[in-house]
Amino acid sequence: MIYRSFQGLNLSCLGMGAMRLPKTGEGEKIDEAKAREIIEYAYEQGINYFDTAYRYHGGESETFVGRVLQQYPRESFYLATKFPGHMMECRDGHLGFTSLLASHPPVASPADVFEKQLEKCAVDYFDFYLLHNLCETAYDFYTDEQAGVVEYLVDQKKKGRIRHLGFSAHGRSDTIDSFLNHYHCFEFVQIQLNYLDWTLQNAGRKYELITKHGLPVVVMEPCRGGRLAFLNDDLTAMLKKARPHDSVASWAFRFLQSLPNVQVVLSGMTTMDQLKENIETFSKNDPVKGDEKELLDRVVKALVDMVPCTLCRYCCEGCPKELDIPHLITLYNELKFGNPQYSLNETLRTMQEPARPSACIGCGACAKVCPQSIAIPAVLRDFAGMLKS
C-alpha cells in the first residue's frame, strides 16, 4: 500500500469511501454482512482512511462505519465525516435542514449535528472533519456569522475533538478561491478529480488553485461514479493494447498517482473484487506518463465532443453583456456529456438571468477574438435551448 505523509501522519493513498456500500436492494439500506467484510478487509490490507458523511445511505453510513471500526484500536485508523451545511439554512440565528433533509431529526445549532455524529460514529473525536459540498448555493450559509458553523468547528478543533479541518467542494474554482481567502483555518480540500473532469469540470484548475494555497487535495469520484471503470469496447481495447494486464479502472487511479499534491484517493468500493483490484493498483507507485497521458487524452475526446475552450478569457473583455463565457462553456460541455449532476444543477439554479446563456445577444465580439476560433454565439444559443428543453 502506498502511503503519503500528512502533518506527521502516514495516510494510505487509497481511502475507503462509505457512500456506495453494498445494499440489500431496498433503497439505501446497507447489506451489513457484505459491507462489514469489505471494510474489515480494507483495514487488514493497510487502508487507514475511512470517509463517511451525515447523509450517506440515508443517514446510516456513519453509524455502520463507526460500529465496524470500533473493534480496532482508535489510533490505528483515520475517520472522516462531513457537516451537511449544503442542505441547511439559517433563520434568525437558528439552523435547520432544507427540504432535501426534511426527514432527518430537526437541529437548531452546529452542535446538534456534530454531537450526534460523534455519538453515531462511537468516537470521541474525528481525525478529519469537512464542510460538505462548498458550492455556489452553500457559500452564503457557510460564511454566515449568525450560523457560526466554521467558528464552532474551529472551536472543536481547539478542544481536540477535530484533529484536521477541511471541506469538500463541487463549486467553481473562484468560489473555492474566495472561500480560502475568507478563511485560513482549513488544512485540506476534497474535490471531484479524474482524467475526464480535469478538463470537463476544470478540475485541473481547482487542483492547481488548491496547491497554490498550500493545501493537499483529497480526491472523490476518481472513476466518476464508475464511468471510467467501464468504457466501451473500442476504448477498452485501446487501453488494453497499451497495458494488457491492467484494468480499465487502474488507468484512472494511476492518473491520480501522477499528481504530487494528491493526498488520498477515495473510492466507494461496493464489491470485494473492486476492493482487491484497487488495493493491487495502489500496491506500487506507477503513475501515467508520456504517451500514456496522450492516450488518456484520446479517451476523453472519444467520450465527449468538448468545445475546446482554454479559459484565456479574451472573449470576456468585449462582451457587452459581461458574460462569464468560459464558465458557460464549461457548463455546456458538462451538460452535453450527460444528465446534469447535483452540483451542475446547483450551479445553474444560482445563476440570475443576466448571467445565463440566454442573455447573449449574438453580436459576435467574442468569436472575433477567440484564439480557438470557437463560434461562441452559436454555442451559447445551443446551451440556452438545452436549458429550455
Side-chain angles (χ1 to χ4, degrees):
M1 177 62 61
I2 302 169
Y3 293 89
R4 292 187 174 175
S5 179
F6 173 83
Q7 297 189 25
L9 306 178
N10 283 321
L11 305 181
S12 57
C13 194
L14 175 62
M16 176 80 207
M19 185 176 75
R20 296 188 178 97
L21 296 173
K23 299 184 291 187
T24 62
E26 304 171 10
E28 291 298 309
K29 187 172 176 59
I30 299 169
D31 185 323
E32 296 199 1
K34 291 181 179 178
R36 175 179 285 274
E37 183 182 17
I38 286 172
I39 293 174
E40 290 179 344
Y41 187 83
Y43 177 89
E44 291 163 3
Q45 296 301 311
I47 292 176
N48 60 18
Y49 191 104
F50 297 86
D51 173 271
T52 181
Y54 184 88
R55 65 183 295 267
Y56 290 173
H57 283 280
E60 294 304 313
S61 177
E62 288 178 323
T63 302
F64 179 76
V65 171
R67 187 163 65 246
V68 176
L69 292 179
Q70 198 172 17
Q71 65 185 297
Y72 304 117
R74 180 65 185 89
E75 67 279 3
S76 68
F77 63 85
Y78 304 107
L79 181 60
T81 193
K82 309 175 189 74
F83 186 91
H86 63 307
M87 293 185 171
M88 300 183 74
E89 58 189 359
C90 181
R91 294 182 179 178
D92 301 322
H94 294 280
L95 274 60
F97 289 124
T98 63
S99 59
L100 292 169
L101 283 181
S103 61
H104 287 244
V107 297
S109 69
D112 290 345
V113 175
F114 185 76
E115 297 293 344
K116 186 64 177 178
Q117 289 178 298
L118 287 172
E119 178 186 334
K120 289 171 68 179
C121 292
V123 293
D124 296 323
Y125 64 91
F126 292 114
D127 301 279
F128 296 86
Y129 194 86
L130 301 84
L131 303 180
H132 201 163
N133 190 13
L134 172 75
C135 59
E136 286 66 48
T137 53
Y139 188 94
D140 288 345
F141 174 80
Y142 281 134
T143 56
D144 188 330
E145 292 184 0
Q146 278 197 312
V149 174
V150 174
E151 292 76 11
Y152 172 79
L153 297 178
V154 168
D155 185 55
Q156 297 311 302
K157 186 174 184 296
K158 290 178 181 177
K159 294 177 179 177
R161 305 174 86 200
I162 294 172
R163 298 295 168 86
H164 303 285
L165 185 62
F167 63 89
S168 69
H170 285 286
R172 296 167 51 181
S173 57
D174 56 348
T175 300
I176 296 172
D177 189 36
S178 176
F179 197 68
L180 288 174
N181 286 327
H182 188 85
Y183 293 110
H184 299 92
C185 55
F186 295 105
E187 301 167 82
F188 65 100
V189 182
Q190 182 171 311
I191 59 172
Q192 179 171 321
L193 181 59
N194 51 67
Y195 67 77
L196 174 63
D197 286 321
W198 184 262
T199 302
L200 186 60
Q201 286 196 359
N202 284 335
R205 186 177 180 183
K206 297 175 188 177
Y207 169 84
E208 291 163 1
L209 169 70
I210 295 164
T211 301
K212 185 177 179 180
H213 276 277
L215 302 178
V217 171
V218 173
V219 172
M220 56 183 162
E221 301 293 355
C223 290
R224 214 177 202 268
R227 183 67 184 267
L228 301 182
F230 302 98
L231 301 175
N232 63 37
D233 291 345
D234 289 342
L235 296 179
T236 297
M238 188 190 304
L239 296 181
K240 285 291 185 180
K241 183 179 179 181
R243 294 178 68 109
H245 303 296
D246 288 9
S247 69
V248 172
S250 70
W251 284 81
F253 293 119
R254 292 178 54 243
F255 168 79
L256 296 169
Q257 288 182 12
S258 72
L259 302 176
N261 196 38
V262 166
Q263 184 75 58
V264 175
V265 177
L266 297 172
S267 181
M269 296 165 281
T270 306
T271 69
M272 186 62 74
D273 286 344
Q274 290 173 351
L275 174 60
K276 290 181 178 180
E277 180 182 301
N278 292 351
I279 289 173
E280 174 63 25
T281 299
F282 281 92
S283 67
K284 59 184 179 302
N285 194 40
D286 185 20
V288 297
K289 47 191 173 294
D291 293 344
E292 292 181 331
K293 290 184 178 180
E294 294 178 8
L295 189 57
L296 289 180
D297 287 340
R298 290 168 56 193
V299 171
V300 170
K301 289 177 181 177
L303 286 172
V304 56
D305 181 21
M306 285 188 288
V307 176
C309 176
T310 61
L311 307 178
C312 70
R313 303 191 69 83
Y314 293 163
C315 55
C316 299
E317 295 173 5
C319 178
K321 293 295 183 179
E322 299 182 346
L323 291 172
D324 188 345
I325 295 170
H327 177 54
L328 291 174
I329 291 177
T330 298
L331 297 177
Y332 175 73
N333 281 332
E334 175 73 6
L335 199 57
K336 281 178 61 183
F337 181 65
N339 294 328
Q341 298 179 327
Y342 170 79
S343 57
L344 178 57
N345 275 326
E346 286 292 287
T347 300
L348 291 171
R349 189 162 65 86
T350 61
M351 293 174 64
Q352 300 298 315
E353 192 58 41
R356 287 175 167 262
S358 55
C360 174
I361 60 175
C363 68
C366 51
K368 292 178 181 177
V369 297
C370 177
Q372 310 303 317
S373 300
I374 299 169
I376 296 172
V379 170
L380 298 185
R381 186 164 57 249
D382 188 33
F383 189 10
M386 293 168 70
L387 295 180
K388 288 181 180 178
S389 62

